[in-house]
């Protein structure tokens, strides 16, 4: 882009989880642009989790962020996952340039973000400041509602979107950043709720095909094989607690 | 706008609550553009809540919506609150046109949307399909966490943003749609948690001044006095349950 020099983007996100940062990482990887995952660098090279805390408390930025992920490009510092993803997609050809397509993409992306918040709340329905183990009973109730009602609602909705667009991708005939985010959502559900997800899998054939298409993109495939991809784990948003899953 | 004919926008939202639709209504009102609040029209004139359900299930739209609010402009149908607000703001001069300003505005708007979801979950921590009365104990725990930790976190963040921008408005020297949404958030908190909010009021003088400025905008003031403004009530997102408030 003419407005950028060649310095890599700097991504600031918790270094040990996929979390919301993963939605940004997937866009950066598919776009094939250079970036530094800052907090994953050694502390001796300016990395580590302390960098994130310093940034969140800094009085220096004119646009303070409420929470990671943040993305820096020179003087520009941007936060909120859907906001970062849309910016990158517009700059690097991962969303069409016309207003209706951008609005539709953002509409889908924001629906994925809402869905993600509901996934998070299955293990933290009461307080993010407390451990899962301290809200296990409430988590069981919330997860049960999520699995029985919300997961099928969201899945059916996505299948309808795919039907109505009539192409290979969520926006129709070209891959966009929203497909990457949908891939992450489905991989996460498969990890966190394998039994529940399996019970819905056959209701969403279009979606399953879409996810396979994303998985087979050469840059996505290379990324997933690399050590830049942090494995799912029980500190992230998608957590596999067998007692929260249902068959 | 050259791309529009003079037909009014059509807003589709639940007719008896402010809810997420209110963030859109405030942008439409401040912009001074014509709109029809469709579900609030008489059923004999195509209004009523049934219209919403039909739209959500319709196979006719190429861009199906997961949930209200939706906004229609001719062939364009858009959902997700932050998405609709940004579209309207760009078209009607309620956000600057440069990329950094748009990104900063959207970053703040998405933070308000996250905050709003947390407000909602204070009375519905387990399941939106059940009544508050069925999750009252969990609501008490969640509301207590929200009031003690999250509300001050968000409020302090906004005050920092105002300090860092150094103008009269969240984006600096001109009112934007984000100020309208912040107004709605604060009025909602004052309604739902009057004692808790009062305990933080003096920590955020910049924010309180901002809210007064929004209130005094002529079009906002006229709207708030009109019967187009639905009163806060216990079916919306901001609900006043005294047992969830704290002094």
């Amino acid at each position: 882009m003419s407005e950028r020099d060649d310095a890599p983007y700097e991504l600031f996100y918790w270094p040990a989880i996929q979390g919301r940062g993963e939605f940004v990482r997937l866009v950066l990887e598919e776009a094939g642009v250079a970036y530094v995952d800052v907090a994953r660098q050694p502390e001796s090279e300016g990395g580590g989790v302390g960098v994130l805390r310093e940034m969140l408390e800094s009085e220096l930025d004119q646009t303070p962020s409420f929470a990671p992920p943040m993305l820096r490009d020179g003087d520009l510092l941007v936060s909120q996952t859907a906001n970062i993803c849309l910016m990158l997609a517009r700059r690097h050809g991962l969303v069409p340039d016309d207003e209706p397509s951008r609005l539709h993409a953002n509409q889908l992306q924001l629906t994925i973000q809402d869905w993600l918040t509901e996934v998070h709340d299955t293990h933290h329905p009461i307080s993010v400041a407390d451990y899962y183990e301290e809200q296990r009973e409430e988590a069981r109730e919330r997860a049960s509602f999520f699995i029985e009602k919300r997961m099928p609602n969201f899945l059916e909705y996505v299948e309808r979107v795919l039907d109505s667009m009539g192409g290979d991708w969520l926006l129709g005939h070209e891959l966009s950043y929203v497909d990457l985010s949908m891939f992450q959502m489905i991989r996460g559900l498969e990890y966190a709720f394998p039994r529940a997800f399996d019970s819905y899998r056959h209701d969403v054939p279009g979606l399953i095909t879409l996810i396979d298409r994303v998985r087979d993109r050469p840059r996505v495939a290379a990324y997933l094989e690399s050590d830049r991809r942090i494995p799912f784990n029980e500190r992230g948003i998608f957590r596999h607690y067998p007692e929260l899953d249902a068959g």
Side-chain angles (χ1 to χ4, degrees), chain A:
Chain A
M1 301 298 292
S2 57
E3 65 211 270
R4 300 186 62 223
D5 57 29
D6 287 336
Y9 287 107
E10 291 177 291
L11 172 65
F12 297 87
Y13 194 68
W14 307 114
I17 64 171
Q18 293 183 9
R20 289 184 166 78
E22 197 65 13
F23 295 83
V24 179
R25 292 189 186 106
L26 281 165
V27 182
L28 291 162
E29 293 282 346
E30 175 64 26
V33 294
Y35 71 100
V36 180
D37 203 338
V38 179
R40 296 190 71 198
Q41 307 308 306
E43 286 191 29
S44 59
E45 295 170 27
V49 76
V51 171
L52 297 180
R53 301 194 197 284
E54 277 168 34
M55 280 188 75
L56 291 173
E57 289 161 18
S58 166
E59 307 280 328
L60 298 178
D61 291 310
Q62 220 197 349
T63 58
S65 297
F66 186 70
M70 289 90 79
L71 190 79
R72 176 171 277 158
D73 178 31
D75 290 337
L76 188 66
L77 179 65
V78 182
S79 64
Q80 281 284 353
T81 309
N83 194 38
I84 300 170
C85 288
L86 180 55
M87 177 190 88
L88 289 171
R90 293 190 66 179
R91 288 178 168 199
H92 301 292
L94 286 170
V95 68
D97 209 33
D98 59 296
E99 187 196 36
S101 295
R102 276 189 284 105
L103 290 168
H104 190 214
N106 193 37
Q107 166 175 324
L108 294 171
Q109 186 69 28
L110 292 174
T111 304
I112 294 172
Q113 302 299 143
D114 288 347
W115 192 356
L116 189 71
T117 297
E118 296 198 23
V119 170
H120 171 273
D121 286 4
T122 59
H123 50 79
H124 274 80
I126 302 297
S127 160
V128 292
D130 294 328
Y131 290 109
Y132 160 65
E133 287 73 15
E134 299 173 72
Q135 47 202 305
R136 186 174 254 167
E137 276 315 302
E138 296 90 340
R140 207 183 298 251
E141 291 181 74
R142 175 111 191 196
S144 162
F145 171 65
F146 175 76
I147 285 172
E148 286 167 34
K149 295 278 169 46
R150 301 299 285 174
M151 201 191 318
N153 282 357
F154 280 112
L155 289 171
E156 284 160 21
Y157 170 69
V158 177
E159 195 72 9
R160 268 180 71 203
V161 171
L162 284 165
D163 282 350
S164 75
M165 295 304 286
D168 282 354
W169 308 100
L170 281 163
L171 296 190
H173 300 291
E174 267 183 90
L175 172 127
S176 74
Y177 73 107
V178 185
D179 300 300
L180 304 172
S181 292
M182 193 62 72
F183 170 83
Q184 176 65 9
M185 169 58 70
I186 300 304
R187 279 289 179 273
L189 293 175
E190 289 174 327
Y191 174 79
F193 306 104
R195 285 183 293 167
F197 188 82
D198 266 356
S199 73
Y200 296 122
R201 183 182 297 274
H202 299 291
D203 302 329
V204 289
L207 175 57
I208 299 299
T209 304
L210 173 76
I211 298 314
D212 289 348
R213 278 197 195 98
V214 174
R215 176 202 62 199
D216 294 341
R217 299 283 291 191
R219 285 171 175 166
V220 170
Y223 169 62
L224 296 176
E225 287 297 309
S226 77
D227 60 7
R228 299 190 300 286
R229 172 79 163 182
I230 300 163
F232 284 109
N233 62 55
E234 279 55 57
R235 286 167 292 171
I237 294 177
F238 294 104
R239 303 187 183 188
H240 180 50
Y241 295 125
E243 66 272 23
L244 299 187
D245 192 9

